[in-house]
Amino acid sequence: EVVSWVLLHQGTQNVKIAEYCTAAVASLSYVPTGSQRLGSAGVIEGIAASMLAFPESVDLQIYGCASFQRLAANPSNRGLIQESKKGIPAIVQAVKTYRDHATILTVC
């Protein structure tokens, strides 16, 4: 839950914080319990806001899409991503911005 809090409160202010936290979410989301807890802690909004705030960060876009992909393995998180006002737009922005980037196209 700490990662969620940091992303929600600092993720749009510092690209390095956003990258580190989103990379942590991508790793922690491999475990079903981690995915569930992160989703309910509000991490989806934090990831999306960070991705939209720093479209120039390729690493953030990769970590963000990978996080969404892993979080979406949980049915309740899928609903949260779909309901998010920023979730789908962040993914679309990443794909449009980096349409020739193989990793982004694979994880998004």
Side-chain angles (χ1 to χ4, degrees):
E1 288 98 5
V2 171
V3 175
S4 298
W5 187 92
V6 172
L7 268 173
L8 287 167
H9 293 88
Q10 299 293 319
T12 59
Q13 298 174 25
N14 184 304
V15 69
K16 287 299 177 191
I17 288 173
E19 289 171 355
Y20 296 141
C21 287
T22 306
V25 171
S27 296
L28 294 168
S29 295
Y30 268 123
V31 181
T33 330
S35 178
Q36 173 66 39
R37 290 182 71 176
L38 286 163
S40 25
V43 78
I44 291 162
E45 291 301 324
I47 293 168
S50 297
M51 289 173 71
L52 291 169
F54 300 109
E56 71 282 357
S57 171
V58 176
D59 289 339
L60 178 58
Q61 304 308 311
I62 291 169
Y63 299 142
C65 286
S67 295
F68 281 137
Q69 185 184 70
R70 293 170 189 161
L71 287 164
N74 177 294
S76 53
N77 287 342
R78 266 194 302 274
L80 293 172
I81 293 167
Q82 291 170 342
E83 293 167 10
S84 167
K85 288 185 169 53
K86 295 178 181 175
I88 302 300
I91 295 167
V92 169
Q93 173 184 273
V95 171
K96 282 184 174 180
T97 303
Y98 298 100
R99 61 184 64 179
D100 296 325
H101 197 289
T103 305
I104 289 180
L105 296 178
T106 301
V107 295
C108 286

